[in-house]
Amino acid sequence: MKGLLYIWDSRKVLTILITMIALSVSTKSMASTPSEVYQSTNNLIFHIEQIRLNKNITSVAKKPGVQIAKTPIHAYTKALEVFEKVIRFKEAHNWSHSKIPSLPEKNVTPKDVLDLILVIIKELEDVNNKLGISVKKNSPLPEGKTPSDVYENLWRASYLFDGLVGAIEPTYVYRNTVRIEKALQKIAKKLNKSTAIIEPTIIQKQKPIDANISGYKVLYKLAVLEKELDLIAVRVSGFPAGKITPSDVYDTTNNIIAELTRINVHLNLPSVPDVDLSTEKITPSNVVFQFKKIELLLNNISS
């Protein structure tokens, strides 16, 4: 009898071990690496280039600088930027399209970024079909890629799409600053901090470089807040070289939104809210004004 029990127990243990190994293998197979995500961005860029060829777009797209210290949430926000441009292109042609997803309310993984990019690729394949472009692409899998590489490639894709829908305008940058302001107000309430500020004076004739400088000040203040919240502080990249455009400022706001997403997850708050585009004429002066308000809010929140 004891022998039978021993055999039964051994089989039970063996079954459990096999199940654990199977689950481990399954989990690993479902996970995605930054290199796999980078591979998908190459496929995405290929489709954009085919559309540019079809539309006879010969202008040279601006190239992004080398990116550092980016994480999956940064890449996710950059992918959303590309997604929005694809939707703008489809809307200009009165074509149906998927809805752009909201920011996640959890820690973002490479798989989340990959899933989003695959949705964008489907949208681009639909565009190709409508334009009569019948090509497929499966880029080789690179090695040793990081979220920073993914981010840089997505920014390259975004610049390539500018030839099809036009570059980012201050209206889009302003919308992001309004989203940032609303998110910070919720963070302030969560931390029992005041949201009352003395509204700054709007300064006329500001330029994109002025707006980007203001955005970088916000990033540095966010780094301070993250340290106070026991989060790994954002590593602010170097200020971009060359002429600063609204696209650069938009990129800065995307990075701010990525950091606010990290803070929201940490504080168990909803994602950064979506807002509609302003119907009024927006200039860099309006963007700087918003950044000043955001700085004041951060001054209230940080101890």
Side-chain angles (χ1 to χ4, degrees):
M1 185 69 178
K2 288 183 180 179
L4 289 173
L5 286 173
Y6 176 78
I7 292 171
W8 185 86
D9 286 341
S10 299
R11 287 176 177 175
K12 185 177 179 181
V13 170
L14 183 60
T15 301
I16 292 172
L17 286 172
I18 291 172
T19 302
M20 290 176 65
I21 292 170
L23 286 172
S24 175
V25 171
S26 175
T27 302
K28 287 180 181 178
S29 66
M30 290 175 63
S32 301
T33 66
S35 291
E36 290 173 319
V37 184
Y38 189 89
Q39 178 188 37
S40 71
T41 63
N42 279 339
N43 292 337
L44 184 148
I45 286 173
F46 173 80
H47 286 297
I48 296 173
E49 288 174 334
Q50 295 305 305
I51 299 170
R52 282 171 60 96
L53 283 172
N54 181 274
K55 293 293 184 179
N56 295 315
I57 304 299
T58 58
S59 58
V60 178
K62 185 176 178 180
K63 290 182 173 57
V66 175
Q67 300 299 301
I68 60 168
K70 294 294 189 282
T71 66
I73 180 57
H74 296 100
Y76 195 95
T77 59
K78 203 65 182 174
L80 289 176
E81 176 183 317
V82 177
F83 202 156
E84 183 172 47
K85 290 184 179 181
V86 175
I87 299 310
R88 284 167 55 194
F89 181 82
K90 296 190 81 172
E91 286 178 343
H93 289 77
N94 294 317
W95 293 336
S96 61
H97 56 78
S98 301
K99 182 180 178 182
I100 300 177
S102 299
L103 285 163
E105 297 181 3
K106 67 181 188 67
N107 291 318
V108 174
T109 66
K111 186 178 185 304
D112 295 319
V113 183
L114 177 60
D115 289 344
L116 178 59
I117 292 171
L118 292 178
V119 173
I120 301 172
I121 288 175
K122 282 188 177 181
E123 292 290 327
L124 290 171
E125 288 175 342
D126 181 56
V127 170
N128 285 340
N129 289 334
K130 286 180 167 58
L131 294 175
I133 303 170
S134 56
V135 290
K136 296 291 182 180
K137 181 67 173 180
N138 187 22
S139 301
L141 179 66
E143 294 182 358
K145 295 300 182 182
T146 68
S148 294
D149 297 314
V150 172
Y151 188 97
E152 184 178 328
N153 226 24
L154 284 168
W155 201 351
R156 184 176 292 108
S158 182
Y159 277 141
L160 281 167
F161 226 95
D162 285 349
L164 296 163
V165 296
I168 292 290
E169 296 177 351
T171 303
Y172 290 91
V173 185
Y174 182 83
R175 180 192 60 186
N176 269 6
T177 61
V178 174
R179 296 178 68 197
I180 293 165
E181 180 186 7
K182 290 182 178 295
L184 282 172
Q185 287 171 343
K186 290 183 178 180
I187 290 170
K189 290 178 182 178
K190 178 76 173 184
L191 297 175
N192 296 316
K193 302 289 185 176
S194 173
T195 58
I197 60 171
I198 298 175
E199 195 163 286
T201 303
I202 189 166
I203 303 172
Q204 300 297 337
K205 297 183 179 180
Q206 296 289 281
K207 298 178 180 178
I209 188 171
D210 301 308
N212 212 34
I213 290 171
S214 294
Y216 265 63
K217 289 180 180 177
V218 169
L219 278 171
Y220 282 114
K221 286 181 180 291
L222 273 178
V224 173
L225 175 60
E226 286 170 340
K227 288 178 181 177
E228 292 174 356
L229 295 173
D230 293 325
L231 283 168
I232 297 174
V234 57
R235 182 179 172 187
V236 183
S237 59
F239 198 81
K243 182 180 179 181
I244 301 300
T245 67
S247 290
D248 295 301
V249 191
Y250 192 68
D251 180 73
T252 300
T253 61
N254 277 338
N255 278 287
I256 294 170
I257 288 172
E259 295 307 319
L260 290 177
T261 300
R262 291 179 59 222
I263 293 172
N264 284 347
V265 170
H266 180 70
L267 296 176
N268 196 28
L269 284 169
S271 61
V272 177
D274 296 319
V275 299
D276 294 330
L277 287 169
S278 174
T279 56
E280 299 178 3
K281 180 177 174 57
I282 300 297
T283 69
S285 294
N286 301 115
V287 175
V288 171
F289 171 75
Q290 274 295 118
F291 274 135
K292 296 293 183 185
K293 290 170 67 178
I294 290 164
E295 281 191 69
L296 293 171
L297 273 172
L298 279 167
N299 288 343
N300 285 358
I301 297 171
S302 291
S303 57

